[in-house]
Amino acid sequence: MSITVFVTGGTFDKEYNEITGELYFKDTHIREILDLGRSLLKVDVKKLILVDSLNMTDKDRAEIVQHCINAKSKHILITHGTDTMSDTAKVLASQNISKTIVLTGAMIPYKFGSSDGLFNLGCALAFVQVLSHGVYIAMNGKYFRWNEVQKNKESGKFEKIKL
Amino acid sequence: MSITVFVTGGTFDKEYNEITGELYFKDTHIREILDLGRSLLKVDVKKLILVDSLNMTDKDRAEIVQHCINAKSKHILITHGTDTMSDTAKVLASQNISKTIVLTGAMIPYKFGSSDGLFNLGCALAFVQVLSHGVYIAMNGKYFRWNEVQKNKESGKFEKIKL
Amino acid sequence: MSITVFVTGGTFDKEYNEITGELYFKDTHIREILDLGRSLLKVDVKKLILVDSLNMTDKDRAEIVQHCINAKSKHILITHGTDTMSDTAKVLASQNISKTIVLTGAMIPYKFGSSDGLFNLGCALAFVQVLSHGVYIAMNGKYFRWNEVQKNKESGKFEKIKL
Amino acid sequence: MSITVFVTGGTFDKEYNEITGELYFKDTHIREILDLGRSLLKVDVKKLILVDSLNMTDKDRAEIVQHCINAKSKHILITHGTDTMSDTAKVLASQNISKTIVLTGAMIPYKFGSSDGLFNLGCALAFVQVLSHGVYIAMNGKYFRWNEVQKNKESGKFEKIKL
């Protein structure tokens, strides 16, 4: 089994710029995290964009959709900012792609040491191997179908919503 | 869904004793790792023993089996040293317990900062939620049925064996 | 010998707010850093303010001066944002206080794991024990008299200036 | 001012071998620590040996002495295991070398994330710049003359002894 990982940025990949004191994107850390996790999965990592998901545009989402449709693998993981993860999941679901697509992200940048990113990536990689076709969000150790979850902006937690 | 985690020790929970310069067990870090991963799963953590798996006895394994049989949850995760993880999996499989049992561990202690433990625990918790009944080992991002895997002692990697 | 540490904030003590995605101050980490360094020094830590040094006011500086004058210890360490560290040093020097006063800071928050803070605090605590009376800045492993150093805003390094 | 650092090993530079589960030496991390501390000091790092100081021989100590005598710099830092740091300091002191020689070490390996090494190296580098000629031990934030300190094997702390 081969897994395709599409990187779109999000807190996951943010770093601290010690000159400006601001957070920014330099590059993705997914390969580094996979090495740390001693992953032996066949993973093809492709960086699409590196943006805060609040700045993700419709055009960005259309490109993500196109990449998912074109991907040879049936197992697709997307790293994504948490704020609009549900929006991208919704757009993906509307396409009825016959693949298992799992979106995940992080609340704390991987580079900050105490990140939830390593745990989340582990969860998401496991879910993408075994769940049936569909679009899912993997956060807080759980998986959710794209239409049954939303991020609680106050607590930062992903919660199930009534359908 | 509720998940039961049985802690048995292994590299996962080892710490460095700065007085003696040796590795030892003080307590389990599973709850701490779950918090770091912002897990919202219903997880019941129960520490059975804290041993290097090379020192695990038949009696220890019999106890682990008994706890798995008695557990109310159908989803059981066991943290375990990697050296004899396959042996314990075999003993568990011989009991035909109608539950999903996943064993996982770590190559580097969680407390050493650069551990694979957070990733592995994420993977294992995801697998235990979605795999059907049986006994599995989750390492290196993958899951294996109990009888199709062995640890390569030289590389430290879990490899598929021919059945 | 007893050392007084006055905390004023700066990058040293900044943390990441995972809900807003911004950096903020919650509390000082100086005590935690001293414990990590297994310090056995008699250190009296007093938190004066927690501000980004770009926001430090003349009133704040007047208070810092007053605390340095009133302190019983002859050895005073001040943790301070790097951007205006020289300004505060200048104000302190104008008072001709008969004490050894060392200012230090960090380029990366202590909580981000890869911080220079632990190293800088070690340097500063050593310098404050052995340097003669005067006002100094300890950064980049070096110490500078208050009037011979400035922060290079582009490189983030503290450089000697011609007197 | 130029500082010579002689590396002899000790807990400072130990790493965890994930295959054998034992601690071992691969290489020194002093350069890495200096970079993390954003040190701008002129430091010449020379690795002499990499040993647990309990295994350090008289011949090893004779070599360290010879290197200190031959060094062009008047400021010498020696990283050393804590168990026999006092012994090496004594041998060095017997030579009456007209230089400032500071020995330091760590209780926790640098690679384990929560090490006191970064703090200790900061302290030692500061002391070696400002103390007068002599042989010193820098641990726990303090400096001690070679003949006034011993490691308390039970607590791991360096304590002053009555002369």
Side-chain angles (χ1 to χ4, degrees):
Chain A
M1 184 191 298
S2 163
I3 300 166
T4 294
V5 176
F6 290 130
V7 172
T8 74
T11 298
F12 226 106
D13 280 328
K14 280 187 184 169
E15 298 186 43
Y16 181 72
N17 182 327
E18 69 185 70
I19 305 301
T20 65
E22 290 171 349
L23 298 173
Y24 76 124
F25 292 105
K26 200 164 73 180
D27 202 354
T28 178
H29 305 91
I30 299 302
R31 196 30 79 192
E32 196 179 332
I33 301 177
L34 290 170
D35 288 346
L36 190 59
R38 277 117 185 98
S39 166
L40 294 178
L41 295 165
K42 282 185 201 148
V43 174
D44 180 32
V45 179
K46 187 158 192 175
K47 182 174 61 180
L48 302 187
I49 42 174
L50 284 177
V51 296
D52 186 312
S53 77
L54 290 172
N55 301 326
M56 192 177 276
T57 64
D58 288 348
K59 190 167 161 291
D60 291 331
R61 291 200 170 85
E63 278 186 38
I64 293 169
V65 165
Q66 206 52 52
H67 274 96
C68 288
I69 291 171
N70 295 345
K72 283 182 186 168
S73 172
K74 294 285 187 187
H75 307 269
I76 298 174
L77 176 64
I78 301 174
T79 63
H80 197 290
T82 56
D83 284 320
T84 68
M85 194 182 279
S86 296
D87 300 339
T88 302
K90 188 179 178 182
V91 174
L92 281 163
S94 71
Q95 303 291 318
N96 291 312
I97 305 167
S98 295
K99 295 172 182 172
T100 302
I101 302 176
V102 177
L103 294 94
T104 195
M107 295 302 290
I108 302 267
Y110 167 69
K111 291 295 275 182
F112 289 7
S114 58
S115 172
D116 52 330
L118 198 62
F119 179 81
N120 293 350
L121 194 69
C123 289
L125 278 172
F127 285 132
V128 85
Q129 292 177 63
V130 288
L131 291 174
S132 55
H133 291 179
V135 179
Y136 308 86
I137 281 177
M139 286 296 291
N140 302 126
K142 301 179 175 182
Y143 71 96
F144 306 89
R145 294 190 176 276
W146 67 273
N147 59 346
E148 64 175 11
V149 67
Q150 66 185 5
K151 181 182 172 186
N152 181 322
K153 305 275 181 186
E154 280 175 46
S155 68
K157 295 170 184 170
F158 280 75
E159 299 172 340
K160 211 156 187 169
I161 51 177
K162 287 167 193 161
L163 295 181
Chain B
M1 184 190 298
S2 162
I3 300 166
T4 295
V5 176
F6 289 130
V7 172
T8 74
T11 298
F12 227 106
D13 279 329
K14 281 188 184 169
E15 298 186 42
Y16 181 72
N17 182 326
E18 70 186 69
I19 306 300
T20 64
E22 290 171 349
L23 299 173
Y24 75 124
F25 293 105
K26 199 164 71 179
D27 202 352
T28 179
H29 305 90
I30 299 302
R31 194 31 80 189
E32 195 179 332
I33 301 177
L34 289 170
D35 288 346
L36 191 59
R38 277 118 185 95
S39 167
L40 293 179
L41 295 165
K42 281 184 202 149
V43 175
D44 179 31
V45 179
K46 188 158 191 175
K47 182 174 60 178
L48 302 187
I49 42 174
L50 285 176
V51 296
D52 187 313
S53 77
L54 290 172
N55 300 326
M56 192 177 274
T57 63
D58 288 349
K59 189 165 162 292
D60 291 331
R61 291 199 170 86
E63 278 186 38
I64 294 169
V65 165
Q66 205 53 49
H67 274 97
C68 288
I69 292 171
N70 294 345
K72 283 182 187 169
S73 172
K74 293 286 188 187
H75 308 269
I76 298 174
L77 176 63
I78 301 174
T79 63
H80 197 290
T82 57
D83 284 319
T84 69
M85 195 182 277
S86 296
D87 301 338
T88 303
K90 189 179 178 183
V91 173
L92 282 162
S94 70
Q95 302 291 318
N96 291 312
I97 305 167
S98 294
K99 295 173 181 171
T100 301
I101 302 176
V102 177
L103 295 92
T104 195
M107 294 302 289
I108 302 268
Y110 167 69
K111 290 295 274 183
F112 289 7
S114 59
S115 172
D116 53 330
L118 199 60
F119 179 82
N120 293 349
L121 194 68
C123 289
L125 277 173
F127 285 133
V128 84
Q129 292 176 66
V130 288
L131 290 175
S132 55
H133 290 179
V135 179
Y136 308 86
I137 281 177
M139 286 296 290
N140 302 126
K142 301 178 175 182
Y143 71 96
F144 307 90
R145 293 189 176 278
W146 67 273
N147 59 345
E148 64 175 11
V149 66
Q150 66 186 5
K151 181 182 171 185
N152 181 321
K153 305 273 181 187
E154 280 175 45
S155 69
K157 294 169 184 171
F158 279 75
E159 299 172 340
K160 211 157 187 170
I161 52 177
K162 289 166 192 160
L163 296 180
Chain C
M1 184 189 299
S2 162
I3 300 166
T4 294
V5 176
F6 290 130
V7 172
T8 75
T11 298
F12 227 106
D13 279 328
K14 281 187 184 169
E15 298 186 42
Y16 181 73
N17 182 326
E18 70 185 69
I19 305 301
T20 64
E22 290 171 349
L23 298 173
Y24 77 123
F25 293 105
K26 201 165 69 179
D27 202 353
T28 179
H29 305 89
I30 299 301
R31 197 29 79 192
E32 196 178 331
I33 301 177
L34 290 170
D35 288 345
L36 191 58
R38 277 118 186 98
S39 167
L40 294 179
L41 295 166
K42 281 184 201 148
V43 175
D44 179 32
V45 178
K46 188 158 190 174
K47 182 173 61 179
L48 302 187
I49 42 174
L50 285 177
V51 296
D52 187 312
S53 77
L54 290 171
N55 300 326
M56 192 177 276
T57 64
D58 288 349
K59 189 165 161 292
D60 290 331
R61 290 201 170 85
E63 278 187 38
I64 293 169
V65 164
Q66 206 52 53
H67 274 96
C68 287
I69 291 171
N70 295 345
K72 284 183 186 167
S73 172
K74 293 285 187 186
H75 307 268
I76 298 174
L77 176 64
I78 301 174
T79 63
H80 197 289
T82 56
D83 284 319
T84 69
M85 195 181 279
S86 296
D87 301 339
T88 303
K90 189 179 177 183
V91 173
L92 281 163
S94 71
Q95 302 291 318
N96 291 311
I97 305 169
S98 294
K99 294 173 181 171
T100 301
I101 302 175
V102 177
L103 295 93
T104 194
M107 295 303 289
I108 302 267
Y110 167 70
K111 289 296 275 183
F112 289 7
S114 58
S115 172
D116 53 330
L118 198 61
F119 179 81
N120 293 349
L121 194 69
C123 290
L125 277 173
F127 285 133
V128 85
Q129 292 176 65
V130 289
L131 290 174
S132 54
H133 291 180
V135 179
Y136 307 85
I137 281 177
M139 285 296 290
N140 302 126
K142 300 178 176 182
Y143 72 96
F144 306 90
R145 292 187 177 279
W146 67 274
N147 59 345
E148 65 175 11
V149 66
Q150 65 185 6
K151 182 182 171 184
N152 182 321
K153 306 273 182 188
E154 281 176 44
S155 69
K157 295 170 185 171
F158 279 76
E159 299 172 340
K160 210 157 186 169
I161 52 176
K162 288 167 192 161
L163 296 181
Chain D
M1 184 190 298
S2 162
I3 300 166
T4 295
V5 176
F6 290 130
V7 172
T8 74
T11 299
F12 227 106
D13 280 328
K14 281 187 184 169
E15 298 186 42
Y16 182 72
N17 182 326
E18 69 185 69
I19 306 302
T20 65
E22 290 171 350
L23 298 173
Y24 77 123
F25 293 106
K26 200 164 71 180
D27 202 353
T28 179
H29 305 90
I30 300 301
R31 197 29 81 192
E32 196 178 333
I33 301 177
L34 290 170
D35 288 347
L36 191 58
R38 276 118 186 97
S39 167
L40 293 178
L41 295 165
K42 282 185 201 147
V43 175
D44 180 32
V45 178
K46 187 157 192 175
K47 181 173 62 179
L48 302 187
I49 42 174
L50 284 176
V51 296
D52 187 313
S53 77
L54 290 172
N55 300 326
M56 192 177 276
T57 63
D58 288 348
K59 189 164 162 292
D60 291 332
R61 291 201 170 86
E63 278 187 38
I64 293 169
V65 165
Q66 206 51 53
H67 274 96
C68 288
I69 292 172
N70 294 345
K72 283 183 186 167
S73 172
K74 294 284 187 188
H75 307 270
I76 297 174
L77 176 64
I78 301 174
T79 63
H80 197 289
T82 56
D83 284 320
T84 69
M85 194 182 278
S86 296
D87 300 339
T88 302
K90 189 180 177 182
V91 173
L92 281 162
S94 70
Q95 303 290 317
N96 291 311
I97 305 168
S98 294
K99 295 172 181 172
T100 302
I101 302 175
V102 176
L103 294 94
T104 195
M107 295 302 290
I108 302 267
Y110 167 69
K111 291 295 275 183
F112 288 8
S114 59
S115 173
D116 53 331
L118 198 61
F119 179 82
N120 293 350
L121 195 68
C123 289
L125 278 172
F127 285 132
V128 85
Q129 292 177 64
V130 289
L131 290 175
S132 55
H133 290 179
V135 178
Y136 307 86
I137 281 177
M139 287 295 291
N140 302 126
K142 301 179 175 181
Y143 71 96
F144 306 90
R145 294 188 177 278
W146 67 272
N147 58 346
E148 64 175 12
V149 67
Q150 65 185 5
K151 182 183 172 186
N152 181 321
K153 305 274 179 187
E154 280 175 45
S155 68
K157 295 169 184 170
F158 280 75
E159 299 172 340
K160 210 157 187 169
I161 52 175
K162 287 168 192 160
L163 296 182

